[in-house]
Amino acid sequence: MLNALSVKKESRTLFILFVPLFLGLLSNCAMSAVDTLMSGMAGTIELSGVALGTTFTFPCYLFLQCTAAAITPTVSHLLALNKLRRIHISTFNATVTSVTIAVITSILLLSMKYVIDFIPADKEMVSIASDYILFIALGLPSVSFFYSRLSFIQGLGISKLTLYFGILELCLNIPLNYIFIFGKLGVPAFGGAGCGLTTSLIYTICAVVIIFYERHSTLLDKYRTTKKTAILFLKDIKSFLKLGIPIGISRTVEVTGFTMAALILSPFGPVVMAAHTITLSISGLIFMIPLSLGISGTIRVAYAMGTKNWDHARLILKIILSINLLLYFIYFSLVFLLRENLAGLYISDPEVIALASGLLILNCIYMLPDSVQSVLSCVLMGFKDSKVIFYVTVSAYWVIGLPLGSALAWGLFTDKLHAYGIWTGFIFALSVAAVLFASRTFYLFKTRTYPKLLLESYHNKKE
């Protein structure tokens, strides 16, 4: 039987972590919406150019962000052991590695500028996309540095900074977009490509601000050490790569899965595409809830496993699964009851609203396995079980979701289901992922098995 006091204390800790994470992630999502809106104000060709450029840049951005996020469980794990010097050494190595990966990614992304020239599309649109890619590529090292340091601070259990930076990014995004897109204050008008310049400048500013914060914040005083920590260790670099790369690829695979889904549906016409896009947008915003809860779980589970406290980790798991189920019923009810109103916020076309409303019913079902697999994958991240996360995610989206969804959409087994087929495929895929993640989690707790990377971190006694 769970101790009521322990449940209350852990629930409060999770809530304190969850709320700023959720609001910060929402603010970050709003940046994309602002870019879409303001590039659209500059003209259709500008918007289409940004959309084309984003196809190449967003997977790179997401890969770097999620790779850097692997720092969080390592910091939480070491914090529980009170190994402050090891925290700083490991995060220094991870930050240097992240930025190095970002530089390589930037070079690869810049080469895509020449690839898109061969795309059989409007030359002006391609030119805008090319400039957009250039600006984003230049800012990727700043993205990696910023998220590496933010993940370090999150690992210490300080999540408010995510909210503060989310608000800062959003506040900077609107005026800077206005300046660079439309050419104000003596700055040349870059059109839609100005969104890319704004994004890179924002993350450069955030990188500078987070350096200042780390040096002067009183909240970090108790985590400082006077011993030298700016030391490169091959063992730390390898440990970070083993954890970070599978996580980064896994999250990128998820996004590219939805990109492929859009390509599969594109021949069915604008109504289907618009309805699918609206459903995906609403679903993406709601997904911030289980994602934020899951990140909170990563921090707490990693902390519990730092001292091999299985009972504490089990308590955390039970609480976040209960919270996730409660929140699911809330947003399930809201989306189901308000589906037509929500679709109407995006468009006035009754045909699109009708189709989007139907897809949102499917989305209500989809959100249950999606939330469960998201939370459980984050719990497994707290165990540093990155290989399982990688294998399950790739299999769910690319072996089950896309092939099945495509077959249903194009009527391989029955009549063509169009967008309904794609969403049905994803429901099956995420249900399988949820079951596999649940099985793995159950196995770890039942046998009290330590994944390989977690064992390696226990054996690393270097101070």
Side-chain angles (χ1 to χ4, degrees):
M1 186 174 179
L2 297 178
N3 182 285
L5 186 61
S6 298
V7 172
K8 183 178 179 181
K9 182 179 179 181
E10 187 58 48
S11 298
R12 182 176 181 275
T13 301
L14 284 167
F15 181 79
I16 291 172
L17 288 170
F18 166 75
V19 173
L21 285 170
F22 172 61
L23 295 176
L25 288 173
L26 273 185
S27 298
N28 191 263
C29 282
M31 281 182 65
S32 297
V34 168
D35 285 351
T36 301
L37 177 64
M38 297 189 72
S39 59
M41 291 168 60
T44 302
I45 195 69
E46 305 291 341
L47 176 58
S48 60
V50 172
L52 178 60
T54 303
T55 303
F56 294 93
T57 60
F58 187 67
C60 298
Y61 163 84
L62 189 66
F63 169 71
L64 295 173
Q65 180 190 17
C66 295
T67 298
I71 295 172
T72 297
T74 298
V75 172
S76 297
H77 175 88
L78 292 170
L79 181 63
L81 299 172
N82 198 34
K83 293 187 175 183
L84 298 183
R85 185 166 183 263
R86 283 297 311 146
I87 288 175
H88 288 285
I89 289 174
S90 64
T91 53
F92 173 76
N93 280 265
T95 301
V96 171
T97 306
S98 288
V99 173
T100 302
I101 294 171
V103 171
I104 296 170
T105 305
S106 296
I107 294 170
L108 294 174
L109 186 57
L110 286 171
S111 69
M112 298 307 296
K113 276 173 52 64
Y114 304 101
V115 173
I116 66 170
D117 287 337
F118 295 98
I119 295 177
D122 183 274
K123 294 301 179 183
E124 186 178 355
M125 179 181 74
V126 170
S127 176
I128 293 166
S130 180
D131 290 340
Y132 179 85
I133 289 172
L134 168 64
F135 290 137
I136 291 293
L138 294 175
L140 288 183
S142 295
V143 170
S144 270
F145 180 85
F146 168 69
Y147 278 113
S148 294
R149 304 319 297 172
L150 184 63
S151 297
F152 154 64
I153 294 169
Q154 286 177 349
L156 297 175
I158 303 171
S159 63
K160 288 183 179 180
L161 209 62
T162 306
L163 171 58
Y164 299 151
F165 273 105
I167 294 172
L168 174 64
E169 290 165 7
L170 190 58
C171 289
L172 289 173
N173 198 36
I174 297 172
L176 289 178
N177 264 346
Y178 181 70
I179 292 170
F180 292 127
I181 293 174
F182 301 104
K184 303 298 179 180
L185 302 180
V187 175
F190 293 99
C195 293
L197 181 55
T198 293
T199 300
S200 289
L201 183 58
I202 286 173
Y203 280 110
T204 301
I205 292 171
C206 287
V208 173
V209 173
I210 205 165
I211 291 172
F212 181 84
Y213 177 86
E214 283 192 54
R215 290 183 177 179
H216 299 284
S217 172
T218 54
L219 280 177
L220 298 183
D221 283 345
K222 60 182 177 180
Y223 303 115
R224 303 188 197 283
T225 176
T226 56
K227 298 178 181 179
K228 184 180 179 182
T229 57
I231 310 168
L232 287 174
F233 287 121
L234 185 60
K235 190 172 184 178
D236 285 289
I237 293 172
K238 286 182 176 179
S239 295
F240 172 70
L241 290 174
K242 287 179 182 178
L243 180 60
I245 296 298
I247 298 299
I249 294 175
S250 299
R251 298 298 179 242
T252 307
V253 161
E254 290 184 39
V255 172
T256 52
F258 286 105
T259 301
M260 286 301 298
L263 292 176
I264 292 167
L265 292 176
S266 58
F268 293 120
V271 171
V272 172
M273 279 296 292
H276 169 73
T277 303
I278 289 169
T279 306
L280 192 59
S281 175
I282 294 170
S283 177
L285 288 173
I286 294 173
F287 178 69
M288 295 301 106
I289 298 173
L291 178 60
S292 304
L293 184 61
I295 295 172
S296 305
T298 296
I299 296 168
R300 296 301 297 160
V301 168
Y303 186 88
M305 294 314 299
T307 53
K308 302 181 182 180
N309 192 333
W310 285 93
D311 292 332
H312 187 196
R314 187 186 298 275
L315 173 64
I316 295 165
L317 176 65
K318 289 181 177 179
I319 291 173
I320 62 174
L321 286 177
S322 300
I323 295 173
N324 181 63
L325 190 60
L326 174 63
L327 292 173
Y328 167 73
F329 282 121
I330 293 173
Y331 53 72
F332 169 93
S333 302
L334 291 173
V335 172
F336 184 81
L337 295 173
L338 302 174
R339 58 188 184 278
E340 291 187 6
N341 304 82
L342 290 172
L345 294 174
Y346 288 81
I347 201 166
S348 58
D349 188 328
E351 190 177 359
V352 175
I353 291 174
L355 180 55
S357 298
L359 291 177
L360 283 171
I361 294 176
L362 268 185
N363 188 249
C364 288
I365 302 170
Y366 160 93
M367 288 187 295
L368 178 58
D370 189 32
S371 65
V372 172
Q373 69 89 24
S374 175
V375 166
L376 289 178
S377 68
C378 287
V379 168
L380 291 175
M381 190 172 170
F383 279 95
K384 299 189 174 183
D385 205 6
S386 56
K387 283 188 177 180
V388 169
I389 297 171
F390 171 76
Y391 292 136
V392 171
T393 302
V394 172
S395 299
Y397 279 90
W398 288 88
V399 178
I400 300 172
L402 283 172
L404 178 60
S406 181
L408 293 172
W410 285 94
L412 187 60
F413 306 121
T414 179
D415 294 335
K416 291 182 180 180
L417 297 180
H418 300 172
Y420 287 105
I422 286 291
W423 283 94
T424 301
F426 280 132
I427 288 172
F428 273 97
L430 293 175
S431 296
V432 170
V435 170
L436 292 176
F437 283 141
S439 300
R440 177 62 173 176
T441 306
F442 177 78
Y443 171 78
L444 292 180
F445 277 97
K446 184 179 180 180
T447 62
R448 299 208 167 187
T449 299
Y450 298 95
K452 186 178 178 180
L453 281 178
L454 192 57
L455 277 176
E456 288 178 1
S457 63
Y458 289 140
H459 295 153
N460 187 0
K461 300 296 185 181
K462 195 188 297 287
E463 288 295 338

